[in-house]
Amino acid sequence: GRPLSMNRMPDGAAGPSFYQKNNEHLPDWVPHADIFSDSNNADLHWIVGDNLPTLLYMVQLGCIEINPWNSRVGHLDNPDWIVIDLDPAGVTFEDVITVARTVKDVCDEWGIAVYPKTSGKTGIHIFIPTGAKYTSEQCRNLAHLIVLEVNKRQPKITSVERSPEKRKHRIYLDWLQNRQGQTLAAPYSVRPTPEATVSMPLRWEEVKKSLKPTDFTIKNALARLKKTGDLWAPVLGKGIDMAKILKKIEAAQP
C-alpha cells in the first residue's frame, strides 16, 4: 500500500540511472495513486506497492531497488515508522557501527524500541515503529531529538548539518527522511552495487565491528531469511507510546 519511487537503470547497475515518481502510462492492472505535489503544483501518478506482479513490472523497467514511502495510501501523513539514516562521508564503516550503537544507547535510555538494517551500501538505517499513530511532523520532531543527543555524544564523527560541505568526514544523522513523501531503500531490497548487495534487517548483536556492507547479497539473502525469519516484522507492529517517551526525555534533561 505504499507509493514507490523508482530508481531506473535501463542498462544495469553500471549504467546511468534516473529517479521516476510520476508514471503517466501505467497498465490498468498496476495499483496507483494520484498524490498532489507542491513542487510540481499538480498530481503525480505514483505506482503503489501491492503485489508480486507490480514488483516484476518495475523490474522490467530497470528498477533494481525498491524505494517506498514511510506511510501508506490510506494515511499518507501518518508514517508506520520513524527512520534515522546514518549517511557516512569520508569515514569508515566501523564509525557507522559506533554511531549506530550510540543511537541504540540513547533509545534504550529513553524507552524507544529500535530496529536496524544495513542500507545495502555504506550506511545503516535505524527504525522506530509508530503504528501510524502520529503525524509526519511529530515523527520528524522525535527523530530530531534523538539525533541531537547522538551528535552531542559523538561530535567528532557525526553531524546534523544538511550541507555536504559542512559535514565532510562525518556521518550525517539524517532525520529529515521523516518528511512526507521521502523514500528510502526497502528492507530486503537489492541495491545497484557490483556485489548486488541487499538491505538486510539485523539483530542488534550483529551490529558490531566485524559487520560489512557487503555481507548480504542476492547470493545469501534467501538462506539467511530461512534461518532468521523476518526480523523486520516488529517495525510494522503496535508502535511506540510517544507521550510516555517525551516525558522520559524531559525527565532526563539536566
Side-chain angles (χ1 to χ4, degrees), residues 38-115:
D38 289 329
S39 57
N40 295 79
N41 196 33
D43 282 345
L44 299 186
H45 203 53
W46 291 75
I47 290 178
V48 174
D50 235 17
N51 50 40
L52 180 58
T54 301
L55 292 179
L56 294 176
Y57 172 74
M58 294 168 66
V59 171
Q60 290 298 318
L61 294 176
C63 184
I64 294 174
E65 64 186 19
I66 306 302
N67 292 277
W69 280 38
N70 301 329
S71 56
R72 286 171 282 173
V73 170
H75 47 81
L76 288 175
D77 197 45
N78 292 79
D80 294 291
W81 54 70
I82 295 167
V83 59
I84 295 169
D85 178 9
L86 306 185
D87 185 5
V91 298
T92 68
F93 194 67
E94 280 194 19
D95 289 328
V96 178
I97 300 295
T98 298
V99 173
R101 299 297 318 185
T102 304
V103 174
K104 175 72 160 61
D105 290 344
V106 170
C107 289
D108 282 352
E109 291 170 25
W110 291 354
I112 304 171
V114 280
Y115 301 89

Side-chain angles (χ1 to χ4, degrees), residues 17-236:
S17 67
F18 61 95
Y19 277 93
Q20 181 177 343
K21 298 178 180 180
N22 193 34
N23 304 273
E24 295 178 346
H25 306 292
L26 286 178
D28 291 341
W29 55 268
V30 175
H32 60 269
D34 291 330
I35 302 171
F36 185 77
S37 164
D38 289 329
S39 57
N40 295 79
N41 196 33
D43 282 345
L44 299 186
H45 203 53
W46 291 75
I47 290 178
V48 174
D50 235 17
N51 50 40
L52 180 58
T54 301
L55 292 179
L56 294 176
Y57 172 74
M58 294 168 66
V59 171
Q60 290 298 318
L61 294 176
C63 184
I64 294 174
E65 64 186 19
I66 306 302
N67 292 277
W69 280 38
N70 301 329
S71 56
R72 286 171 282 173
V73 170
H75 47 81
L76 288 175
D77 197 45
N78 292 79
D80 294 291
W81 54 70
I82 295 167
V83 59
I84 295 169
D85 178 9
L86 306 185
D87 185 5
V91 298
T92 68
F93 194 67
E94 280 194 19
D95 289 328
V96 178
I97 300 295
T98 298
V99 173
R101 299 297 318 185
T102 304
V103 174
K104 175 72 160 61
D105 290 344
V106 170
C107 289
D108 282 352
E109 291 170 25
W110 291 354
I112 304 171
V114 280
Y115 301 89
K117 72 176 178 71
T118 62
S119 70
K121 286 192 171 178
T122 58
I124 287 180
H125 301 153
I126 300 173
F127 290 82
I128 300 165
T130 63
K133 294 180 287 190
Y134 310 102
T135 66
S136 298
E137 183 179 9
Q138 289 172 306
C139 292
R140 193 167 64 247
N141 289 342
L142 180 57
H144 196 195
L145 290 174
I146 294 168
V147 300
L148 288 175
E149 181 64 24
V150 173
N151 179 237
K152 189 164 75 174
R153 299 186 189 191
Q154 297 287 357
K156 292 183 179 178
I157 55 173
T158 68
S159 175
V160 291
E161 290 280 356
R162 285 189 68 188
S163 170
E165 288 300 312
K166 294 180 180 179
R167 52 180 164 87
K168 289 180 178 178
H169 308 293
R170 295 283 194 279
I171 295 163
Y172 178 41
L173 303 171
D174 190 353
W175 56 283
L176 293 172
Q177 289 287 357
N178 297 285
R179 292 176 297 187
Q180 189 190 89
Q182 292 292 111
T183 63
L184 205 61
Y188 309 116
S189 175
V190 182
R191 302 302 301 274
T193 63
E195 304 85 2
T197 46
V198 170
S199 180
M200 184 62 70
L202 303 165
R203 296 188 179 99
W204 273 109
E205 55 263 34
E206 296 177 297
V207 184
K208 55 188 180 181
K209 287 185 177 180
S210 58
L211 181 68
K212 299 287 185 295
T214 52
D215 282 348
F216 310 107
T217 70
I218 56 173
K219 293 181 179 179
N220 62 18
L222 290 177
R224 173 182 165 84
L225 273 171
K226 287 177 184 176
K227 183 179 178 183
T228 66
D230 182 11
L231 298 180
W232 178 254
V235 180
L236 293 173

